[in-house]
Amino acid sequence: VIGFVLLGLSIGAAWYLVILATVPGAWDLLWGALVVPLGIEEGAPAGSALHYRAPWYYVGQIFSAAFPASLLIPVVIAQAWKSRLHRDRPGLRFVASAFCALFIAFSIVPQKQKHYLLPLLPLLAILIGDAVIRGWEAAPQAVLRIIKFGGTALSVLGLGFAGLTAVFAAVVLDA
């Protein structure tokens, strides 16, 4: 496997050698593109379609991409920790490993946008679903209370937001 990975990387990276050999000033442009995610703007065009972001950009974005299910991510992490990364369930361990590997790989790539997280959402949904089922099996009444309280709280917040939006539209936009 390592040999094939190195072969694929060498083929994929070979175009950099062609660019460095044929394009004048290519080294400065490539170096500038490599250091932009570190906060250094040297030679790379800022504000372009390159959409460079810091490596930790997806940490906050995963919560908004999977909201409201992402509120259960701490439960998923706690269960993974308690079960020693799902040692007794190899299928779930594979899903968790795939999620973590893709999340880390996407975080390392300098170009980032929120919709790049879409391939991770099915894996996250499986992990969250398993966490809810395991929580239900362990303490069904506690989970039921959390669901009722969370649903009620989110309903009140949603109605309040809808009311404020209506007032804003009536007062500010009609003014």
Side-chain angles (χ1 to χ4, degrees), residues 3-146:
F4 284 116
V5 168
L6 291 175
L7 176 67
L9 287 174
S10 64
I11 291 171
W15 74 280
Y16 283 109
L17 297 175
V18 173
I19 289 174
L20 288 173
T22 58
V23 176
W27 177 251
D28 294 332
L29 184 63
L30 287 175
W31 177 252
L34 286 173
V35 296
V36 165
L38 303 175
I40 303 168
E41 294 184 16
E42 180 182 313
S48 69
L50 297 176
H51 47 266
Y52 289 108
R53 304 270 196 269
W56 51 86
Y57 172 75
Y58 286 133
V59 174
Q61 295 299 320
I62 192 73
F63 284 97
S64 65
F67 189 80
S70 62
L71 296 174
L72 296 172
I73 289 177
V75 176
V76 171
I77 293 170
Q79 283 190 357
W81 180 267
K82 189 166 55 171
S83 67
R84 294 196 173 276
L85 298 176
H86 308 292
R87 183 172 290 187
D88 58 336
R89 302 177 68 197
L92 196 62
R93 186 176 213 171
F94 173 77
V95 171
S97 299
F99 175 82
C100 291
L102 285 173
F103 188 80
I104 291 169
F106 287 167
S107 295
I108 291 172
V109 174
Q111 294 90 351
K112 296 173 183 64
Q113 287 189 354
K114 186 177 176 180
H115 63 271
Y116 293 174
L117 290 174
L118 288 175
L120 296 175
L121 295 182
L123 300 170
L124 183 61
I126 292 170
L127 293 171
I128 289 173
D130 181 73
V132 170
I133 290 171
R134 283 195 173 217
W136 181 265
E137 290 171 350
Q141 293 304 318
V143 173
L144 193 58
R145 280 193 302 272
I146 291 170

